[in-house]
Amino acid sequence: SQDFSRELKFSKYKDLIKIEDEELKENYFETIRLGYVGAFHKYESYVKNITILMNEFFLDLFENENYEDIETYLKKTFQIELKRTVTKFYASEKINWIANCVKHYDGYPLKEPILRSFIHHNKNKKIQIEAKEFREDLDDLMKQNQLLLTVLFLVGLHQFMGQDYFKIKDQLTE
């Protein structure tokens, strides 16, 4: 917000743009808050699309033989619903919480339960996050997505190796 404010002071259009510092600051923070909404929607799309890609990959590996889609297998074998893991990772939990505050509470930190890092935040003041923190949160989300991809590969391999185990066991008992 300081960069834009400085640029505005020296701009040849400064006489055309009448904006108070407080309004400029609020626009800056509103833009970042909306960034959290967009980031969470991208995350939801990632989770949906990565499972589709994983299923395509493992269907080829299994040669369509006894393959159970990754989400079903994850739920049945490990009692994990992928779409409900948002709160199991701090990055997606924070981004989701802020996005919900923006969508449902006009940017005020009122969504219950209050996120641990916002417990002491003034509930009468909209969430104000600097661009640096937003970038760090996105970096953390990207690391989480890489971890999720790795875990889904391992889950698929677990299923694949389990298939081989049962084939070998059947062959030995014949």
Side-chain angles (χ1 to χ4, degrees), residues 3-45:
D3 290 340
F4 182 73
S5 186
R6 190 174 342 106
E7 286 180 29
L8 187 59
K9 281 182 187 177
F10 300 107
S11 169
K12 63 182 179 180
Y13 302 106
K14 67 182 172 191
D15 295 331
L16 300 174
I17 301 173
K18 301 292 183 202
I19 189 168
E20 298 295 319
D21 280 347
E22 208 48 47
E23 188 180 352
L24 181 63
K25 230 185 227 182
E26 178 50 33
N27 286 338
Y28 168 77
F29 289 122
E30 182 68 15
T31 301
I32 292 171
R33 287 191 295 268
L34 291 172
Y36 278 92
V37 175
F40 189 71
H41 287 300
K42 288 290 185 187
Y43 172 74
E44 288 177 312
S45 293

Side-chain angles (χ1 to χ4, degrees), residues 36 86 89-99 115 117-118 129 133-134 137:
Y36 278 92
V86 170
F89 301 94
Y90 183 72
S92 56
E93 180 183 36
K94 179 180 180 183
I95 290 170
N96 179 44
W97 187 84
I98 292 170
L115 195 64
S117 58
F118 283 85
I129 295 176
E133 183 178 348
F134 178 59
D137 290 340

Side-chain angles (χ1 to χ4, degrees), residues 109-169:
L110 300 174
K111 183 184 180 313
E112 296 287 339
I114 302 287
L115 195 64
R116 187 176 52 239
S117 58
F118 283 85
I119 288 176
H120 301 293
H121 194 281
N122 182 349
K123 290 176 181 38
N124 298 317
K125 188 176 179 185
K126 289 185 177 186
I127 297 168
Q128 293 185 345
I129 295 176
E130 292 290 339
K132 182 179 186 270
E133 183 178 348
F134 178 59
R135 280 190 297 272
E136 289 168 355
D137 290 340
L138 292 181
D139 287 343
D140 290 343
L141 186 63
M142 286 190 296
K143 289 174 189 167
Q144 176 185 319
N145 288 344
Q146 291 168 346
L147 175 64
L148 180 60
L149 177 62
T150 302
V151 167
L152 290 177
F153 262 114
L154 292 173
V155 168
L157 289 173
H158 182 273
Q159 183 180 172
F160 182 70
M161 299 307 278
Q163 291 286 345
D164 281 348
Y165 168 77
F166 289 116
K167 282 181 188 175
I168 293 168
K169 184 178 174 189

Side-chain angles (χ1 to χ4, degrees), residues 3 17 28 44 49 51-52 62 64 67-68 85 101-102 107 113 137 140 152 155 165:
D3 290 340
I17 301 173
Y28 168 77
E44 288 177 312
N49 291 326
T51 56
I52 292 168
F62 277 71
N64 296 330
Y67 176 71
E68 201 167 9
T85 60
C101 286
V102 171
D137 290 340
D140 290 343
L152 290 177
V155 168
Y165 168 77

